[in-house]
Amino acid sequence: MLNDSVRQIKGVGEKLADALHVLSIETIEDLIFYFPYRYDVFEVKPIGELIHDDKVTIEGTILYDPVLTFFGRKKSRLVFTLNVEGISVKAVLFNRAFAKKQLQAGDTVTLTGKWDAHRLQITVSTYKKGRYEHDAAISPVYSIKGDITSRTLKKTLTYALDHFSNDIVEILPESYLHAYKLPERKSAVRTMHAPESRYKLKHARRRFVYEEFLLFQLKMQYVKKMHREATPGISHQYQETALHNFIESFSFSLTRAQDRALKEILEDMRSPYSMNRLLQGDVGSGKTAVAAIALYAAVTGGKQCALMVPTEILAEQHFLSLTDLFGERAKIALLTGSIKGKKRQLIRSSIESHDVDIVIGTHALIQDDVFFHDLGLVIVDEQHRFGVKQRRTLRDKGWQPDVLFMTATPIPRTLAISAFGDMDVSIIDEMPAGRKEVETYWVTDQHFPRVLEFIGKHIVRGEQAYVVCPLIEESDQLDIQNAVDVYEQLSEFYPEPIQVGLLHGRLHTEEKERIMKAFSTNNIQILVSTTVIEVGVNVPNATVMVIYDAERFGLSQLHQLRGRVGRGQGQSHCILIADPKGEVGKERMRIMTETTDGFVLAEEDLKLRGPGDFFGTKQSGMPEFKVADMVHDYRALETARVDAVEIVHNGLLESDPAYSKLAAYIESELAVTKKMD
Ligand code: ADP
Ligand code: MG
């Protein structure tokens, strides 16, 4: 039986069972599904094609008997010369003195190891007497730790496969195997451990990638469905005509992407379930416009709504622009921490009596003594600043409003549907026509005087500039230009009346707000800062963004910073000052100068940094897969998602016998999750 303990395998005693336990292998099934984490592919290539520092395989004849020397304690080096296609190659083996007895002049050997192209030398990791054999060319490599050796693991695995693999049952419906041309489960397991060819391995892997993604997506879709059914929400009875007229009153027509996102949101609002949706779109893609329509929909349905933003400045900006946009259509109030006393009293009571339709504010909005008469929709801007806790606060107050999160951080679609699996996601991936793209340049440190001149030229025209530095003083021994230094340097360089301001994370909130306000009213022309300006401030008059040590930022972050300019009528510029050492760093700077598409940059970032690092911190809730890789296998993830949605939507797990194995799996998984809660 597959779910028997590994102790049932002949030759596995307590000691080996303990060693397997370290690898999280408890049952025979765990063992059989402990797949290699990579494969060594040995392929002999001509010497001239070998790349320096690569792992290579060569075949040749030993010219002289190997020479063994000892050094240190128990350390040894075995050296011999090999004739490869008439060229002499030096081979070195460390700490394998026993090989001296096995290798002699005249022997033909196949060696794998690290290639030094300058010295024509190979540092051998594995060797085999005899010619290169194609069959043995793909060799599985298992991740091991603790007391177990690769050899023991492989031996135990082989035994388990020989005796128990008949118990492996197919869990995917036949029709899926057929449609996607996936190998059947049992043979695919065997192929994963002992691939006969690259072709077979590719398809076995493809099968498990799909299986993993499908199970994962099924579980998420199922949880979502259960959650949905358990939390009834508001069915907004909005007025189509009023909405239509509102949209018509805009000075522009919605992009297709905005239209699509809006439809998805309105559908959620109309449904009797509570909305839990993420709206993603690059800075300036028109999220706020979509949000405004959603707010108005709630208002025409007789509900109140709240728009939560991370800072007071943003709250004020939104208040002004929405008041302008709505006109007489809705009563809008602003509620932030700094509104106190009588005025606050007044606003509070008008929220409670439903004299106000839309309230815009910071999170003071939900924390304090604020009570809505009939709250139907909450929109949360820059969702990564808020979270689960605030949602709970809403619920705890007895409200079940629809919730829409907005973020300007483009997250690659694959990550979005995985990391935010329990949310629905709408993406605005299209910019309104006629946008002026921010011109981006990459320069090195020595051009700094010219950068100063460039900033000055724009200030004289009445424009403003941001100068961003990655770290403040506390940093470290590294020679990083810090914000304080730069601030002093610029203050000295630019004559009165040009004002330079300094903003960093260690200032008090009030001080930060004061400086930001001075910048937004053009009382400060140049703002030197660390990355605290990242979150959505809007100063259309700022047209120059200078980013110091740009190589220290991720592409998404650079893009986010760059999005602070290009918000007005004039042409904006972004100057990256960077001196990246490696090719990858240079490539990243080049990409920045070539595209302003946040999703393209996010995809690149993901490729360069991997899903774990994408959010800067290790984001909890990022699933881990054994075989699948979210970045490279994104197509399979998309496919699996579509399939899972369909399966859950049509209730196939419950009704169709072909899905009974999948159903059993989901059931057992959910039982485990419940226990953990
Ligand atoms: P975001 O919130 O995504 O940063 P906004 O909704 O604030 O973007 O839109 C940025 C600017 O573009 C605003 O001035 C807005 O009026 C304008 N805008 C929004 N949608 C469109 C559109 N479809 N066509 C033209 N301009 C638009
Ligand atoms: Mg609803």
Side-chain angles (χ1 to χ4, degrees):
M1 289 275 285
L2 288 180
N3 55 10
D4 282 344
S5 157
V6 282
R7 298 286 296 268
Q8 300 300 316
I9 297 171
K10 221 177 111 196
V12 178
E14 196 172 332
K15 218 174 128 213
L16 185 47
D18 284 348
L20 290 168
H21 170 80
V22 174
L23 304 176
S24 302
I25 298 172
E26 314 289 346
T27 64
I28 295 173
E29 180 163 14
D30 294 340
L31 177 64
I32 284 179
F33 284 88
Y34 193 79
F35 292 146
Y37 80 100
R38 69 177 170 84
Y39 298 84
D40 274 337
V41 179
F42 304 118
E43 202 174 29
V44 175
K45 282 190 195 149
I47 293 274
E49 285 176 24
L50 301 181
I51 294 168
H52 181 66
D53 265 0
D54 259 10
K55 192 169 183 181
V56 303
T57 297
I58 56 174
E59 178 202 294
T61 315
I62 300 179
L63 287 174
Y64 314 102
D65 279 349
V67 177
L68 179 66
T69 42
F70 284 92
F71 58 99
R73 288 178 59 200
K74 289 195 207 161
K75 294 199 171 153
S76 71
R77 178 169 51 209
L78 188 69
V79 178
F80 55 91
T81 312
L82 200 67
N83 173 8
V84 183
E85 312 155 23
I87 298 165
S88 290
V89 168
K90 191 170 158 192
V92 185
L93 274 86
F94 287 103
N95 307 325
R96 267 172 292 179
F98 54 83
K100 163 94 172 135
K101 293 203 195 86
Q102 302 168 349
L103 305 171
Q104 287 152 19
D107 285 349
T108 297
V109 287
T110 303
L111 308 175
T112 297
K114 194 168 156 180
W115 180 243
D116 184 330
H118 311 307
R119 298 188 193 162
L120 297 182
Q121 177 175 318
I122 183 167
T123 306
V124 178
S125 53
T126 53
Y127 65 93
K128 188 175 73 70
K129 273 178 85 163
R131 300 189 66 88
Y132 167 75
E133 289 169 49
H134 196 74
D135 278 356
I138 309 172
S139 155
V141 182
Y142 295 89
S143 148
I144 51 167
K145 58 183 178 205
D147 288 336
I148 199 163
T149 62
S150 263
R151 223 176 109 92
T152 310
L153 179 66
K154 282 186 190 173
K155 220 175 80 188
T156 316
L157 242 168
T158 309
Y159 184 91
L161 284 171
D162 287 347
H163 291 81
F164 298 98
S165 59
N166 278 337
D167 294 344
I168 298 173
V169 288
E170 183 55 74
I171 61 171
L172 297 178
E174 179 77 40
S175 57
Y176 287 62
L177 298 184
H178 195 75
Y180 300 133
K181 298 197 169 49
L182 298 173
E184 171 280 323
R185 201 159 188 246
K186 193 193 307 173
S187 72
V189 167
R190 288 189 158 278
T191 302
M192 290 297 283
H193 292 293
E196 286 163 33
S197 68
R198 283 201 220 197
Y199 177 81
K200 280 205 165 166
L201 178 59
K202 185 175 126 189
H203 290 290
R205 191 183 168 279
R206 208 164 57 80
R207 186 227 136 85
F208 287 112
V209 167
Y210 178 76
E211 178 182 314
E212 273 190 315
F213 282 154
L214 183 71
L215 293 176
F216 167 68
Q217 290 288 348
L218 267 179
K219 205 167 100 182
M220 283 204 314
Q221 297 302 329
Y222 209 78
V223 169
K224 202 149 95 180
K225 182 180 165 183
M226 293 197 312
H227 177 79
R228 222 168 123 95
E229 286 168 358
T231 52
I234 300 158
S235 170
H236 291 265
Q237 300 301 311
Y238 52 83
Q239 295 166 21
E240 306 266 2
T241 329
L243 266 195
H244 182 78
N245 291 339
F246 183 48
I247 297 169
E248 287 289 299
S249 78
F250 290 3
S251 58
F252 49 80
S253 46
L254 298 181
T255 61
R256 265 196 328 231
Q258 279 174 311
D259 236 348
R260 196 177 51 222
L262 179 64
K263 265 210 192 86
E264 290 165 352
I265 292 165
L266 289 179
E267 219 164 88
D268 277 0
M269 287 177 65
R270 179 73 86 183
S271 87
Y273 305 113
S274 81
M275 170 164 73
N276 183 25
R277 185 172 284 279
L278 176 70
L279 176 60
Q280 258 201 76
D282 223 333
V283 172
S285 63
K287 292 182 297 298
T288 311
V290 171
I293 301 167
L295 290 172
Y296 188 51
V299 172
T300 65
K303 298 289 177 189
Q304 288 178 291
C305 14
L307 174 60
M308 288 207 297
V309 298
T311 66
E312 298 212 349
I313 300 170
L314 261 178
E316 282 166 25
Q317 282 181 355
H318 272 119
F319 176 68
L320 292 177
S321 63
L322 289 184
T323 305
D324 198 37
L325 191 67
F326 275 87
E328 295 296 305
R329 286 186 174 86
K331 277 174 248 123
I332 306 180
L334 175 70
L335 188 66
T336 60
S338 61
I339 295 174
K340 296 199 170 90
K342 257 238 155 68
K343 199 168 168 205
R344 184 179 185 83
Q345 257 327 85
L346 210 66
I347 296 172
R348 267 185 49 209
S349 66
S350 55
I351 294 173
E352 207 165 336
S353 65
H354 202 155
D355 278 340
V356 161
D357 301 308
I358 301 171
V359 188
I360 298 166
T362 51
H363 61 278
L365 208 60
I366 50 160
Q367 278 179 347
D368 285 344
D369 43 356
V370 181
F371 291 95
F372 287 81
H373 177 255
D374 193 359
L375 182 65
L377 172 68
V378 176
I379 301 185
V380 182
D381 199 7
E382 291 305 334
Q383 61 90 27
H384 54 273
R385 287 298 199 90
F386 294 101
V388 180
K389 221 164 105 202
Q390 275 91 348
R391 277 180 75 79
R392 201 166 296 142
T393 313
L394 287 172
R395 293 262 144 82
D396 288 350
K397 287 194 175 194
W399 299 324
Q400 286 291 12
D402 283 346
V403 183
L404 179 69
F405 295 92
M406 300 201 291
T407 179
T409 310
I411 304 164
R413 191 170 178 92
T414 45
L415 273 196
I417 63 180
S418 309
F420 306 108
D422 56 338
M423 278 192 199
D424 294 300
V425 181
S426 293
I427 298 180
I428 305 184
D429 52 5
E430 181 185 358
M431 281 290 177
R435 265 300 141 71
K436 272 205 184 105
E437 290 200 349
V438 178
E439 295 262 4
T440 304
Y441 319 95
W442 163 34
V443 301
T444 53
D445 233 354
Q446 71 221 62
H447 292 97
F448 193 59
R450 282 180 55 195
V451 174
L452 288 176
E453 234 173 83
F454 185 88
I455 298 173
K457 206 172 75 190
H458 286 269
I459 303 296
V460 168
R461 288 190 206 152
E463 298 166 14
Q464 288 167 274
Y466 293 99
V467 178
V468 178
C469 315
L471 284 172
I472 55 169
E473 294 169 319
E474 76 213 351
S475 58
D476 42 37
Q477 41 321 48
L478 287 169
D479 182 24
I480 302 161
Q481 195 81 37
N482 63 59
V484 178
D485 272 358
V486 173
Y487 166 71
E488 280 165 6
Q489 200 182 348
L490 297 193
S491 303
E492 237 167 71
F493 182 85
Y494 296 106
E496 294 281 337
I498 295 178
Q499 293 295 313
V500 184
L502 174 64
L503 194 66
H504 60 70
R506 283 191 297 171
L507 297 176
H508 288 294
T509 312
E510 299 92 65
E511 181 67 1
K512 275 190 230 166
E513 300 251 341
R514 192 188 64 74
I515 293 168
M516 268 321 300
K517 211 164 252 172
F519 186 64
S520 63
T521 50
N522 202 357
N523 287 318
I524 286 174
Q525 287 73 43
I526 303 172
L527 185 64
V528 177
S529 83
T530 56
T531 52
V532 289
I533 55 158
E534 228 182 301
V535 166
V537 287
N538 190 18
V539 181
N541 195 46
T543 57
V544 180
M545 167 64 66
V546 177
I547 304 174
Y548 253 102
D549 293 321
E551 75 271 18
R552 293 181 184 275
F553 292 103
L555 289 178
S556 295
Q557 213 180 358
L558 287 175
H559 177 67
Q560 204 63 18
L561 289 169
R562 180 168 61 183
R564 297 303 110 206
V565 296
R567 303 180 144 236
Q569 297 303 314
Q571 176 63 54
S572 286
H573 306 269
C574 174
I575 301 167
L576 307 170
I577 304 177
D579 206 354
K581 296 287 169 278
E583 253 327 291
V584 174
K586 287 178 185 156
E587 183 55 27
R588 291 170 67 233
M589 291 305 117
R590 255 175 249 137
I591 296 170
M592 280 303 296
T593 64
E594 282 161 10
T595 182
T596 53
D597 184 328
F599 283 96
V600 170
L601 291 167
E603 293 283 354
E604 287 296 329
D605 228 10
L606 181 59
K607 274 186 222 152
L608 292 169
R609 294 199 291 174
D613 285 341
F614 185 81
F615 294 98
T617 53
K618 290 264 177 200
Q619 179 102 343
S620 63
M622 285 299 285
E624 284 189 18
F625 297 105
K626 280 208 277 190
V627 182
D629 175 323
M630 276 193 294
V631 181
H632 292 102
D633 303 317
Y634 70 96
R635 266 173 224 257
L637 179 59
E638 295 268 7
T639 308
R641 180 181 154 84
V642 172
D643 291 346
V645 168
E646 190 190 286
I647 291 171
V648 172
H649 182 78
N650 294 333
L652 296 177
L653 291 182
E654 293 87 352
S655 64
D656 190 334
Y659 293 79
S660 63
K661 291 285 188 311
L662 282 179
Y665 172 84
I666 298 298
E667 211 163 277
S668 70
E669 278 289 295
L670 292 183
V672 173
T673 317
K674 265 206 197 105
K675 249 188 242 153
M676 284 179 356
D677 276 351

